[in-house]
Amino acid sequence: MDAADTPLSSRILLLWRLGWLAGTGLLLVIALLFAALAADAPAAARVLPTVLVGAVGIVLTVLVPAASYRRWRYGVTDDGVEIRHGLLVRQESSIPHFRVQHIDLHQGPLDRWRGIVKLSISTASPATDATLPGIEPEQARTLRARILERAEADDGV
Amino acid sequence: MLDLLSSARQWAIPLAFLMISTGEVLVLGPIAFVVIALVVGWKVLAWRRFTYQIVDGVLVVEHGILQRARREVPISRIQQVDLRRRLRHRALGVAVVRIDTAGGGSGAEAVLEAIADEEAYALRVALLDRRGVLPAGAGPVDAGSATDAVDPADARPVPVAGPAPVPVVALTTGQLVVAGITGVRLLALLPFAAAGMGLFFELPEETAAGVAGSAPTGAVVVAVLLVAVIPVMLLSAIASSLLTDHGFTLVRVGTDLHLRRGLLDQREATLSLRRVQAVRVHQNLLRRRLGLASVQLQSAGSGTAAEGEVTRLTIPYVREGDLVGLLDSVLPTTVEHPPLVPAPPAARRRAWFRRVGPATVLLVAIAVVATLAGAPIAWALLVLLVPVAVEAELVYRNLGHVGTPTLVVARSGGFVRATDYLPVAKTQSTSLTSSPFQRRVGLASLQLHVAGRGSVPVVHDGDADRLARLRLAALHARVARADEVEVRRRARVEAAAAAEGDEVPSAG
């Protein structure tokens, strides 16, 4: 409650993994295309890149979403909304309650399939980047109500 | 009438082209005449239908021939009134008046094409003066919040009808010439100069046989080109500076800034000081040597592309000595000038590594390839590392920031140094980022987000702990809370005033 300590919904993990898998698939297709084009190259030179791309892709697909999920934390404090995430480049964002302009809940088809919601907070600045990519719908509604309540209370008018 | 001119231009060219290209002037001539007559007739009708008037504190604009439109803009909601006069407008003694309101819809609330000059000025005075009175008066919304607000912006004089204008900046032609010569406008022509040089380097190989043994000739050609290119570059930089900024005057009227500039295409803009979000000061090496700077004000406009020239207002020539006074008069807080905290030494290694590293790899790779191809002279390219290293060192030396309770100053950049002045009261949100390299040496970068489009002020490569504290300070800042309260209070007052204006029109 006091700090950014809430994780995202674990249901988003599968979506992230699928995303990485799709990326790997795309690169594999490109690698295969090259292998098919370079027909006169020795067999090893044609197979090796494909295998390498596939192996690295799979390893990243297994490791990155999980690690990045572990790093994702958000929370509502007395002052505002705190978000911290990022595997390599770490980011800590804070949005004071009184700056919150509006909150969007967004659910794409894949989100609906997994039963999660994307929540984004907007301020008057277009540079504000405060999006929770996947939390449970019930939690999203509670969170929205809480932030808006605080935003209202803090408004002071 | 002006409408006629521009549409005549639109139509005449394709028609003339059509006539010439087909050669059947005799057939098309009458058709062209009929079309032109129709267009002219339509435009005259449109002009006759276009009317505007101020009725009980509401600006009413009516237009349209078949589909008629009537727009009512309560004067209390008007944020900006801009005047623009292109050459053709000036030939006819008219101006385009653009009227913007706070509701950030797309485009201007109303555009009055071709209003006679005196009328345009009178209209602007009428619109801005009445607007100025409303938000400051004890509006119908609680007066209590006004006393709570501790924003220093409140200490400004309350706008009253017809406050005396205070000159802020007025640039002479000489100053604009200097601004043109020392500014980036010069660099805009560099590609052309480079192309000219390239052309020259192509030449000797082709004509080498013709001008055999002409090494001196080559040198002469280079000299001639330099002598020819440099004046052209200088002249066009000066011309461009004069064209955009001739007669540059910035005047403060109450809480508004009035800007006037332009030689052929004259623009006059108003910008409410309340809407200034951040100030950025640019100085390249040359300007720093001369003690000059250019200053950019970023405002929270509604952010449409058409408004671009207004949301960012650039003062092209400011003497360093006048900088503090200028910042003081455009920023909502008093500008204290504590010395900037330099970046920790780790930032120097990072600046060097990030610039010299990739450049070295690239140049060595090129040299190796060239050597393999039989041109070991390419190793001479490594000389280019010198300016890169110089810039890296400059980048480190320019890095610095300071946070006071009311203001964050962040400086960065290499050959061109940029210093951001950001009132804490205007910070919308913050973001502290750190890459693995930064974390290893205890550095971080802090982004400070303000309203309006434009570059995001960033404190680069500061000490991570310091920046974390700065971030917390910005988050807790009471001035920011007061600013938000004030902005929302004004919005309500204006909305209430607008509603009142709609229901019970009262003579403003």
Side-chain angles (χ1 to χ4, degrees):
Chain A
M1 159 72 182
D2 194 39
D5 53 6
T6 320
L8 297 175
S9 163
S10 58
R11 283 186 243 165
I12 197 168
L13 258 175
L14 183 63
L15 294 187
W16 284 352
R17 290 208 173 106
L18 285 178
W20 277 85
L21 205 61
T24 307
L26 198 70
L27 286 179
L28 263 183
V29 168
I30 295 173
L32 282 173
L33 221 61
F34 271 106
L37 286 175
D40 358 328
R46 288 192 290 146
V47 175
L48 206 62
T50 316
V51 172
L52 212 63
V53 165
V56 170
I58 301 262
V59 168
L60 289 183
T61 302
V62 171
L63 293 183
V64 173
S68 139
Y69 176 78
R70 271 198 303 277
R71 294 259 347 139
W72 246 103
R73 290 285 186 277
Y74 69 91
V76 180
T77 70
D78 284 345
D79 297 308
V81 182
E82 298 272 332
I83 297 172
R84 66 193 62 194
H85 65 104
L87 203 54
L88 289 179
V89 176
R90 292 189 188 161
Q91 191 173 335
E92 293 178 35
S93 305
S94 41
I95 304 99
H97 285 303
F98 57 87
R99 292 299 197 187
V100 173
Q101 294 275 343
H102 63 264
I103 298 176
D104 284 331
L105 298 186
H106 175 92
Q107 213 178 15
L110 287 176
D111 298 329
R112 265 204 296 283
W113 167 54
R114 296 301 293 155
I116 52 177
V117 170
K118 187 179 290 174
L119 182 145
S120 48
I121 303 168
S122 306
T123 71
S125 166
T128 300
D129 174 26
T131 300
L132 307 178
I135 55 178
E136 276 152 48
E138 205 153 305
Q139 204 173 359
R141 276 185 283 274
T142 335
L143 192 63
R144 176 174 64 178
R146 230 174 111 200
I147 299 173
L148 287 180
E149 189 187 312
R150 291 304 312 266
E152 192 68 20
D154 236 348
D155 195 15
V157 180
Chain B
M1 275 314 277
L2 204 80
D3 209 19
L4 274 179
L5 266 186
S6 66
S7 61
R9 194 182 54 178
Q10 272 166 29
W11 283 88
I13 294 168
L15 269 177
F17 181 73
L18 201 64
M19 286 192 284
I20 292 164
S21 64
T22 54
E24 298 176 48
V25 182
L26 283 181
V27 183
L28 275 173
I31 297 178
F33 182 77
V34 170
V35 169
I36 288 173
L38 277 178
V39 169
V40 168
W42 183 264
K43 289 290 176 188
V44 169
L45 215 55
W47 172 70
R48 286 178 59 115
R49 280 287 312 155
F50 193 106
T51 63
Y52 73 92
Q53 53 189 324
I54 296 177
V55 184
D56 295 336
V58 180
L59 175 73
V60 182
V61 181
E62 286 178 274
H63 63 97
I65 296 172
L66 296 178
Q67 187 177 336
R68 295 191 174 167
R70 176 188 164 99
R71 170 158 281 186
E72 300 183 15
V73 186
I75 292 177
S76 58
R77 278 180 59 224
I78 291 174
Q79 290 277 346
Q80 272 174 240
V81 180
D82 296 337
L83 265 53
R84 184 172 182 187
R85 296 186 295 163
R86 291 172 188 273
L87 199 55
R88 58 174 189 269
H89 294 94
R90 294 177 61 193
L92 298 174
V94 296
V96 179
V97 182
R98 278 174 51 97
I99 293 152
D100 273 306
T101 58
S106 59
E109 193 73 40
V111 179
L112 309 179
E113 299 277 352
I115 308 295
D117 273 346
E118 319 82 76
E119 210 176 322
Y121 284 118
L123 181 64
R124 182 172 76 167
V125 169
L127 294 180
L128 287 182
D129 278 358
R130 296 197 197 177
R131 177 224 52 170
V133 176
L134 263 164
V141 177
D142 62 319
S145 68
T147 51
D148 291 344
V150 293
D151 188 349
D154 268 6
R156 294 191 175 287
V158 172
V160 287
V166 182
V168 180
V169 179
L171 298 183
T172 64
T173 306
Q175 288 171 328
L176 287 170
V177 169
V178 173
I181 293 174
T182 58
V184 284
R185 290 171 205 272
L186 204 57
L187 296 181
L189 280 166
L190 217 54
F192 295 102
M197 284 297 180
L199 209 63
F200 160 69
F201 282 119
E202 298 284 311
L203 269 180
E205 286 172 37
E206 288 164 19
T207 57
V211 237
S214 60
T217 322
V220 168
V221 174
V222 169
V224 167
L225 269 177
L226 277 180
V227 167
V229 163
I230 288 177
V232 168
M233 282 175 67
L234 287 178
L235 280 179
S236 61
I238 292 168
S240 138
S241 172
L242 285 180
L243 275 179
T244 49
D245 289 333
H246 175 77
F248 190 103
T249 48
L250 194 63
V251 176
R252 190 170 133 194
V253 184
T255 56
D256 284 332
L257 286 176
H258 283 231
L259 167 70
R260 178 181 191 147
R261 65 181 173 87
L263 184 60
L264 302 179
D265 181 359
Q266 278 188 346
R267 289 155 186 273
E268 292 185 38
T270 52
L271 174 73
S272 171
L273 277 170
R274 287 204 312 273
R275 297 172 90 199
V276 173
Q277 304 289 314
V279 177
R280 171 169 279 198
V281 177
H282 281 289
Q283 283 183 297
N284 60 27
L285 274 183
L286 184 58
R287 282 190 173 170
R288 226 181 307 164
R289 180 57 40 109
L290 297 172
L292 297 177
S294 69
V295 175
Q296 197 175 61
L297 311 185
Q298 187 183 326
S299 94
S302 47
T304 54
E307 214 188 353
E309 68 260 19
V310 179
T311 53
R312 273 213 227 142
L313 188 156
T314 304
I315 306 163
Y317 178 103
V318 179
R319 268 189 293 268
E320 266 174 0
D322 302 336
L323 211 53
V324 175
L326 177 66
L327 289 173
D328 231 5
S329 64
V330 296
L331 281 174
T333 76
T334 46
V335 182
E336 311 141 57
H337 259 276
L340 297 194
V341 179
R348 170 181 267 142
R349 287 199 299 277
R350 200 169 131 75
W352 276 76
F353 184 77
R354 290 188 59 180
R355 277 162 191 83
V356 181
T360 312
V361 169
L362 186 73
L363 289 175
V364 167
I366 290 174
V368 166
V369 170
T371 311
L372 290 180
I377 186 81
W379 286 101
L381 282 177
L382 288 185
V383 171
L384 291 178
L385 283 179
V386 174
V388 175
V390 169
E391 202 202 5
E393 183 61 21
L394 281 174
V395 163
Y396 169 69
R397 291 198 183 174
N398 287 340
L399 270 183
H401 76 275
V402 70
T404 75
T406 54
L407 190 76
V408 176
V409 184
R411 198 175 63 190
S412 64
F415 291 122
V416 181
R417 181 170 85 177
T419 314
D420 285 312
Y421 293 84
L422 182 89
V424 172
K426 299 295 184 187
T427 318
Q428 294 284 334
S429 62
T430 62
S431 202
L432 188 68
T433 61
S434 60
S435 72
F437 301 110
Q438 284 180 311
R439 281 198 295 280
R440 210 161 48 88
V441 291
L443 297 177
S445 298
L446 180 66
Q447 296 179 8
L448 298 153
H449 306 140
V450 294
R453 273 161 214 210
S455 52
V456 179
V458 182
V459 182
H460 284 291
D461 276 349
D463 179 70
D465 295 333
R466 266 191 75 91
L467 290 191
R469 282 201 300 277
L470 185 59
R471 166 173 166 263
L472 281 181
L475 180 63
H476 290 292
R478 287 194 57 221
V479 280
R481 189 171 303 229
D483 171 76
E484 186 68 28
V485 168
E486 178 61 13
V487 167
R488 293 189 188 196
R489 186 186 69 85
R490 279 182 201 282
R492 283 172 200 213
V493 171
E494 279 161 20
E500 188 187 316
D502 283 346
E503 289 156 16
V504 199
S506 58

